[in-house]
Amino acid sequence: MGTIFWTNTIWYILLCVFTLVELVLAIVYAKKRQRAIAFYLTITGIVLTFETIILFFMKAYVYYPMIIQSPPRPFDNVLAGNLFSQFSVGASALLVVVLNFKLYWFFIFGVVYGLIEELFLALGIYQHNWYRTWMTVIGIPLFFWVVKKMYVKLLQGIKPRYYYVYIFFALYTCNVITLLWGVFMLFRIQDFNTTLISDPEVSRLYGALGHFFLLSISIMLIYFLRLKWIWKALVILFLYMIYFIGYKLNLVLIKEGWFLLVSSISIIWMYLSVFIIDKLYGGAQNKVEFSKKGN
């Protein structure tokens, strides 16, 4: 292993180990483990959405995990470092609410993450622009408080309009991070136009987010509305048409000869993600529980 691994990457791997320990503990002690897994996807999706705004749009800070070095593309390396950080925050939040920690633990975790942030700054593997560590120390307890409220509502049963929001954020984790970036973009199978605006990273991000919103909302509609097969087929056909138009206009960049495979995998994976997350959450059962409580 090179010098960079021991100076940069190893610290992110240690953070990953910490995350896995927290996640395993949270799922083991959860009363309903399947829901805990789905909820983790949701809260991680919320964190990653927030991070998308302040990291790429507002340029709050930069990560230097030095994991993805060839071919060089700062977008990938920064995002990889961001994932280590935010999956960790999501795991901590899940552990705290599953074990029903007292409020003061929220602040303890805030301080711990503040210390980790200061360590990463001192090691030169993370850099602030306008962001400051005290924002993390304050933000973590606030986020944990929101997550605890969400988890209590989840156990009681959720109103449909909130339930769909939970699904939506979980889809962000399952699709934007795993398939879209983790497979298609990293392996240069699919990318997005980088010249729509002056900042190529933000331009690429606009394309990725547009892609996600179009697929997720369309698939959620045909799944939860229980449409007849003919209407489902028309929606799917519409998605292929929009995908193809984006491809021809160079808004969506797909490796030559891969259009049909990439578009099909994207649509099918989104549908499977909605199906799996819905089942993990309990689907109709969750709404029945809610109605029985008279809320």
Side-chain angles (χ1 to χ4, degrees), residues 21-277:
V21 170
E22 287 186 306
L23 193 55
V24 169
L25 288 174
I27 293 173
V28 167
Y29 285 101
K31 294 179 180 178
K32 297 183 178 181
R33 293 175 182 173
Q34 290 184 338
R35 284 192 189 179
I37 294 172
F39 189 60
Y40 176 65
L41 296 175
T42 294
I43 58 179
T44 302
I46 293 173
V47 175
L48 290 171
T49 300
F50 176 74
E51 282 292 300
T52 296
I53 296 172
I54 67 171
L55 176 62
F56 290 107
F57 288 105
M58 300 176 67
K59 310 297 184 182
Y61 35 66
V62 183
Y63 295 93
Y64 300 109
M66 307 308 291
I67 296 173
I68 304 168
Q69 301 178 55
S70 180
R73 190 167 70 173
F75 176 89
D76 292 327
N77 206 39
V78 172
L79 182 54
N82 176 57
L83 295 183
F84 280 98
S85 174
Q86 304 318 315
F87 276 106
S88 178
V89 171
S92 296
L94 182 65
L95 180 66
V96 164
V97 298
V98 164
L99 296 182
N100 196 26
F101 281 2
K102 300 295 184 182
L103 183 62
Y104 63 84
W105 276 103
F106 296 10
F107 294 95
I108 291 175
F109 271 92
V111 171
V112 169
Y113 273 101
L115 292 173
I116 292 174
E117 192 163 324
E118 285 297 312
L119 173 63
F120 278 35
L121 287 168
L123 292 170
I125 60 176
Y126 172 68
Q127 173 187 316
H128 283 161
N129 291 329
W130 57 264
Y131 192 85
R132 294 296 179 265
T133 301
W134 64 263
M135 298 177 184
T136 296
V137 176
I138 294 175
I140 291 292
L142 179 61
F143 175 63
F144 284 9
W145 180 80
V146 172
V147 170
K148 185 171 184 178
K149 294 292 184 182
M150 292 174 62
Y151 189 67
V152 170
K153 288 294 184 183
L154 174 64
L155 296 180
Q156 293 175 347
I158 320 169
K159 289 182 179 180
R161 63 177 178 271
Y162 297 130
Y163 183 71
Y164 303 140
V165 173
Y166 280 47
I167 298 287
F168 178 81
F169 281 112
L171 289 175
Y172 191 93
T173 305
C174 290
N175 286 267
V176 175
I177 302 305
T178 54
L179 179 66
L180 186 56
W181 177 75
V183 177
F184 289 160
M185 294 178 72
L186 277 185
F187 289 93
R188 306 301 190 263
I189 297 171
Q190 176 177 312
D191 206 337
F192 298 91
N193 192 296
T194 59
T195 60
L196 293 177
I197 58 176
S198 58
D199 188 327
E201 292 182 359
V202 175
S203 178
R204 176 183 284 116
L205 193 57
Y206 273 127
L209 292 177
H211 175 275
F212 170 68
F213 276 102
L214 176 65
L215 285 182
S216 60
I217 293 174
S218 299
I219 297 301
M220 285 179 68
L221 284 174
I222 67 175
Y223 180 84
F224 288 110
L225 291 178
R226 309 295 182 187
L227 299 178
K228 294 182 178 179
W229 69 268
I230 185 63
W231 291 107
K232 287 186 177 182
L234 288 174
V235 173
I236 297 299
L237 180 61
F238 168 76
L239 289 176
Y240 274 109
M241 290 175 58
I242 296 298
Y243 222 125
F244 188 72
I245 291 172
Y247 172 62
K248 285 300 182 180
L249 293 176
N250 288 324
L251 298 175
V252 182
L253 311 176
I254 301 177
K255 190 175 180 179
E256 186 69 29
W258 285 64
F259 171 78
L260 186 59
L261 180 61
V262 168
S263 57
S264 297
I265 290 175
S266 298
I267 293 170
I268 293 170
W269 179 251
M270 183 66 75
Y271 192 93
L272 285 176
S273 297
V274 174
F275 173 79
I276 292 170
I277 296 167

Side-chain angles (χ1 to χ4, degrees), residues 3-23:
T3 304
I4 290 178
F5 175 85
W6 295 109
T7 57
N8 292 60
T9 310
I10 185 63
W11 296 99
Y12 285 89
I13 291 178
L14 290 174
L15 182 60
C16 179
V17 172
F18 176 64
T19 300
L20 291 174
V21 170
E22 287 186 306
L23 193 55

